[in-house]
Amino acid sequence: MRGLTTAMLVIAIAASMVTPIGAVSHPETQPSSAASIPASVAPSSIKSLSSISFPSPINTSQPLSEYPAVSRALMLSGGSTYSALADINGDGLTDLIVAVSESKMISVFYRQPDGNFLTYPSANITLDSTPIGVAGIDSFGDGHEQIMVLERRTDDLHSERMLILNYTSPSTPFTEYENISVYQTASSFVIGNLNGDAYPDVAFVCPGLDPSVDAGIVEIRLGPSYTTSKLFNAGRGADGIAIGNFSSDGLQDLAVSNYYDHSVLVFFQPFSLGNAPAYNLTTPGAPLSIVSGDLNSDGLDDIAAVTENPGQLDFFFQSLGTLQSTPDPTYSRTIQGLAPTSIYCGDMNDDGKVDLAMLS
């Protein structure tokens, strides 16, 4: 999860009834040509949104009992900005990993047997520079998850770095498995099988030093050592990246959003230097964030994007390996009264359908 210190988390639940997306008030702050989808696989629509509003400033003396994972991350001083859930200590329970940007630190909360987290970190890991992304990763595909961190470069003479940290024991500090320089300006990443072997790979999107002019770069680091890489071009302002099977061939593909080109480029496996996009999806606004998942419950991966100027939630549905090239006219919509910065998807109400969450 990204941006835990923002003011509001808005959740759209997949349902059978459409309700417009509108403004949700903050309780403690004063105002300061698309392809058709067959009827048999018509997408589940969006019903009224719920939201989690956070007080400003955050009261760190009290947890939010309804959302313990979020509240633990918010209580950390030093700028909690990214988090992930993964079973780091191998006890069968998912733990909370939080990147604390200003403090240049990773805090780990081990989930307790009762399912809750302690109010203080179980372990803190000091970094050399600012963490801008964190995730759990099973480098060897053996069920033992590690912590992966993307560190921001210290200056423009250096590059971002990819760290993988191993858990050893409760009394022993985490150890470095890898500390690798990745392509300069790497800002986001996804993890998946991008090479056809048994090991997870990592794809980074890199907008360049002048995103309005530079063509972005996608760098894929191949597991389990991550020392071998593949590069290919994206668009101007490349920043968002998503992974999914967009060609219905059983292989994981990549989608990259390009802010200044108002586009989402979709790349199929196999990936190689000079790899041309299979699709160039057009967004009316500048895309800020994208996700992929089965958004219409037909068993195929689709793409959703949030944009600004205009502010929209755009859907690109897949039909048997073919993606819509422009936003679906029925379910894409203007976002009124909100300024979302990123979007996430997952089954948030345990009904077996993919839901959406937007940070604003």
Side-chain angles (χ1 to χ4, degrees):
M1 182 177 290
R2 179 179 178 179
L4 285 170
T5 54
T6 52
M8 190 176 295
L9 176 64
V10 181
I11 302 173
I13 303 297
S16 58
M17 182 181 299
V18 174
T19 303
I21 296 178
V24 182
S25 61
H26 192 299
E28 298 187 30
T29 305
Q30 297 302 315
S32 51
S33 103
S36 61
I37 300 295
S40 61
V41 292
S44 299
S45 56
I46 297 173
K47 74 175 183 180
S48 56
L49 303 182
S50 61
S51 66
I52 307 168
S53 295
F54 303 121
S56 181
I58 296 295
N59 179 2
T60 59
S61 66
Q62 295 181 347
L64 304 175
S65 58
E66 297 86 351
Y67 306 97
V70 174
S71 65
R72 297 304 187 272
L74 286 170
M75 288 168 65
L76 294 177
S77 60
S80 307
T81 49
Y82 300 84
S83 68
L85 292 170
D87 180 10
I88 297 303
N89 59 357
D91 63 356
L93 303 174
T94 53
D95 308 309
L96 176 64
I97 314 162
V98 183
V100 190
S101 295
E102 293 177 14
S103 299
K104 298 180 181 179
M105 184 171 64
I106 299 296
S107 291
V108 182
F109 296 81
Y110 296 134
R111 192 182 294 271
Q112 302 303 297
D114 63 1
N116 292 315
F117 298 96
L118 300 177
T119 57
Y120 53 87
S122 308
N124 287 317
I125 306 166
T126 301
L127 306 174
D128 292 331
S129 61
T130 302
I132 56 174
V134 67
I137 187 168
D138 180 5
S139 294
F140 294 98
D142 60 1
H144 294 89
E145 291 191 275
Q146 305 150 296
I147 298 174
M148 180 191 152
V149 182
L150 177 60
E151 279 190 326
R152 189 184 302 280
R153 66 190 183 282
T154 54
D155 55 54
D156 288 345
L157 297 178
H158 296 83
S159 296
E160 277 64 24
R161 301 196 68 83
M162 168 187 178
L163 275 66
I164 297 183
L165 305 168
N166 283 335
Y167 170 85
T168 51
S169 73
S171 59
T172 306
F174 282 77
T175 58
E176 278 189 5
Y177 165 64
E178 291 289 2
N179 187 335
I180 299 171
S181 177
V182 296
Y183 201 89
Q184 193 177 49
T185 71
S187 59
S188 303
F189 63 87
V190 291
I191 299 171
N193 189 337
L194 303 173
N195 197 40
D197 59 14
Y199 307 110
D201 312 301
V202 184
F204 298 93
V205 62
C206 316
L209 295 176
D210 188 351
S212 65
V213 175
D214 296 341
I217 295 291
V218 175
E219 179 183 35
I220 299 176
R221 288 282 174 163
L222 303 178
S225 67
Y226 307 105
T227 55
T228 301
S229 65
K230 296 182 178 183
L231 298 174
F232 54 89
N233 287 336
R236 295 180 305 131
D239 186 50
I241 188 167
I243 189 169
N245 179 14
F246 305 122
S247 55
S248 294
D249 61 358
L251 301 177
Q252 291 189 306
D253 309 306
L254 294 173
V256 179
S257 61
N258 308 283
Y259 182 90
Y260 291 102
D261 289 342
H262 288 209
S263 72
V264 176
L265 300 180
V266 180
F267 300 90
F268 290 169
Q269 289 200 48
F271 304 109
S272 61
L273 182 66
N275 198 28
Y279 288 100
N280 186 339
L281 313 180
T282 301
T283 58
L288 297 168
S289 179
I290 59 173
V291 294
S292 67
D294 183 6
L295 304 177
N296 57 359
S297 300
D298 65 352
L300 303 174
D301 286 337
D302 314 298
I303 296 172
V306 289
T307 69
E308 65 179 3
N309 301 320
Q312 286 198 181
L313 172 60
D314 293 327
F315 292 95
F316 300 88
F317 295 113
Q318 181 189 164
S319 178
L320 297 177
T322 301
L323 282 166
Q324 296 170 285
S325 60
T326 56
D328 182 85
T330 301
Y331 295 98
S332 300
R333 63 199 57 225
T334 300
I335 302 172
Q336 300 174 351
L338 296 173
T341 57
S342 53
I343 186 171
Y344 306 88
C345 68
D347 183 5
M348 301 175 195
N349 59 350
D350 296 324
D351 65 353
K353 297 180 180 180
V354 176
D355 311 308
L356 297 176
M358 294 180 291
L359 282 171
S360 175

